[in-house]
Amino acid sequence: MSPIESLAPLASSARAAGAPGPLPARGDATVGVLVFRLGGMRFALPSSRIVNVMPLGRARFEQLARMAGKGTLGTSGLPLIRLSTRLGLAEAKSPECGALVLFGSEGKVRATALIDDEPVDSRAEIQLMPEDWRSRFAPCADLIGGVARLPDGRQAAMLDMTIGVFGRKAAPAAPEAHLVVRRAGHGPEAVSVASLKAIRCPGEIAGRSYLLRLGRDGTPVPVEAILGLAPEGRVESAGPARRLVADGHSYPLLEPGRAPAERGVARVLLVMRDGPARTQAQALVRALGHHVSLADHARALELAAGRFDVVIYDVDAYGVPTGAAPSTAVCLALTGRPGRLEGFDGHLPPGDTARLVAAGLGWGPRTAS
């Protein structure tokens, strides 16, 4: 059995005969890893990012699993995910034992993860995974950073956590995300989010339409409406023209110059109730190439200092906060209330795709003043 075939529980397509193995390891150095099993599959996390590991019995695990469903570790405001759910391997029955892993740097906890197993410390050689295999590990391909070879020769899928706490990556999270727009006299068309340099919204320009600026040169393209984020699909070429084929629809691509715009990658915290609105906002922010964490508690706003570059706080859900907003983050109020709210840098109307995208195009890493 090849090394990749030993990872087959993640994707049935990886069971094909003759599948290639991972690329050779870069050198003989080993790194510390935390190893655990989910769904019959072995995984590993890098120990360098782990502050502490707390063993859990079933009762405490079930309590934390409910918190993970809301995205936040109680009133701490720290992001909390359940890895088995994120990987698509969660089981209805809670495990007899599990663990809460605290991530961060320099002893400061910045995020947490719940594991449906009791992990063990080990060391491993890290091998690269061929890029043509990555798509076969959906829906968790974005979490797999390579293959960890353990001392006994067994393999583990190396998880590269991208929940906004381990530094900023150069590559955007979703470079092929697209918005669906409509120009006057045209049907729906698609615009690559990576190519967007700016959006001017109604009220900022005459005619009450939107003005997109695309590519490094900011080519102006007026549109009547921004219909939302396109479903995930593929880009097909037909001569010089290209189209986005997604969810049974085919959208002509608007891409003057094709050159992507350059922008920073920010750590963004969404303080919102779990539901369709938060799911849509999370997808849009990820499509812009930023790292996203979730929280469902009003106190998360005051605990965000130093951990995030941008915080979007749902005022309509939690009310106007009494504590001070973090000075090191751009704080935006998600609210339908008119006017400016004290303590916030601006506001976003709920469900306004265009204004959220327009704001996100200017986000980047911030430093303390």
Side-chain angles (χ1 to χ4, degrees):
M1 179 178 290
S2 72
I4 285 294
E5 284 174 321
S6 69
L7 303 180
L10 276 182
S12 59
S13 59
R15 299 190 182 97
L23 298 180
R26 295 177 291 183
D28 298 326
T30 63
V31 299
V33 292
L34 193 69
V35 183
F36 54 95
R37 295 182 65 87
L38 293 174
M41 171 73 188
R42 190 175 295 106
F43 294 93
L45 287 167
S47 299
S48 61
R49 299 169 175 176
I50 296 173
V51 176
N52 196 9
V53 179
M54 302 173 60
L56 303 171
R58 173 175 285 185
R60 181 58 173 158
F61 181 94
E62 291 177 344
Q63 181 183 13
L64 290 175
R66 290 190 291 270
M67 294 182 189
K70 297 181 178 180
T72 310
L73 182 62
T75 60
S76 71
L78 291 169
L80 171 64
I81 63 172
R82 183 177 178 181
L83 283 182
S84 61
T85 300
R86 179 64 180 84
L87 294 169
L89 299 173
E91 298 181 359
K93 184 179 179 181
S94 298
E96 291 293 335
C97 58
L100 178 68
V101 182
L102 310 181
F103 298 101
S105 59
E106 300 178 352
K108 185 174 182 179
V109 179
R110 299 187 180 279
T112 60
L114 191 61
I115 298 179
D116 296 38
D117 188 27
E118 190 171 1
V120 296
D121 290 316
S122 184
R123 296 194 67 82
E125 295 180 10
I126 307 304
Q127 297 179 324
L128 299 179
M129 180 177 291
E131 284 303 317
D132 59 347
W133 272 97
R134 194 158 300 280
S135 62
R136 306 186 186 190
F137 288 85
C140 56
D142 59 321
L143 282 180
I144 299 178
V147 179
R149 177 182 293 173
L150 303 174
D152 60 6
R154 292 181 297 176
Q155 307 289 325
M158 191 71 176
L159 296 181
D160 181 15
M161 302 297 294
T162 54
I163 55 177
V165 295
F166 298 137
R168 305 173 178 93
K169 295 189 173 183
E176 289 302 316
H178 295 81
L179 291 178
V180 179
V181 302
R182 187 177 63 243
R183 292 186 293 167
H186 294 73
E189 298 171 292
V191 173
S192 169
V193 171
S195 73
L196 277 170
K197 189 170 185 177
I199 300 178
R200 296 187 65 187
C201 299
E204 302 173 3
I205 52 178
R208 304 290 294 176
S209 61
Y210 296 90
L211 181 65
L212 311 183
R213 292 197 174 273
L214 305 180
R216 287 196 180 95
D217 296 332
T219 303
V221 177
V223 300
E224 287 186 332
I226 296 176
L227 305 178
L229 190 65
E232 184 177 351
R234 65 185 185 278
V235 174
E236 296 182 350
S237 298
R242 302 203 305 165
R243 305 180 70 87
L244 172 67
V245 179
D247 197 25
H249 299 279
S250 178
Y251 304 99
L253 277 178
L254 290 174
E255 46 183 5
R258 289 194 185 179
E262 297 179 357
R263 63 176 67 97
V265 178
R267 299 166 300 171
V268 181
L269 175 65
L270 300 180
V271 187
M272 301 175 62
R273 300 287 192 207
D274 187 17
R278 189 176 78 172
T279 299
Q280 181 190 43
Q282 181 183 16
L284 282 168
V285 174
R286 279 181 173 168
L288 289 165
H290 303 304
H291 299 311
V292 188
S293 296
L294 304 174
D296 185 7
H297 197 282
R299 194 180 172 212
L301 181 63
E302 62 184 275
L303 295 174
R307 302 212 306 267
F308 300 95
D309 303 303
V310 180
V311 178
I312 298 177
Y313 177 89
D314 191 344
V315 171
D316 294 345
Y318 304 107
V320 178
T322 56
S327 59
T328 56
V330 173
C331 290
L332 302 175
L334 185 68
T335 177
R337 302 184 186 191
R340 185 182 183 89
L341 288 176
E342 185 178 355
F344 289 92
D345 298 286
H347 78 279
L348 294 168
D352 194 325
T353 297
R355 292 189 185 276
L356 177 56
V357 172
L361 294 175
W363 293 341
R366 287 172 59 87
T367 57
S369 56

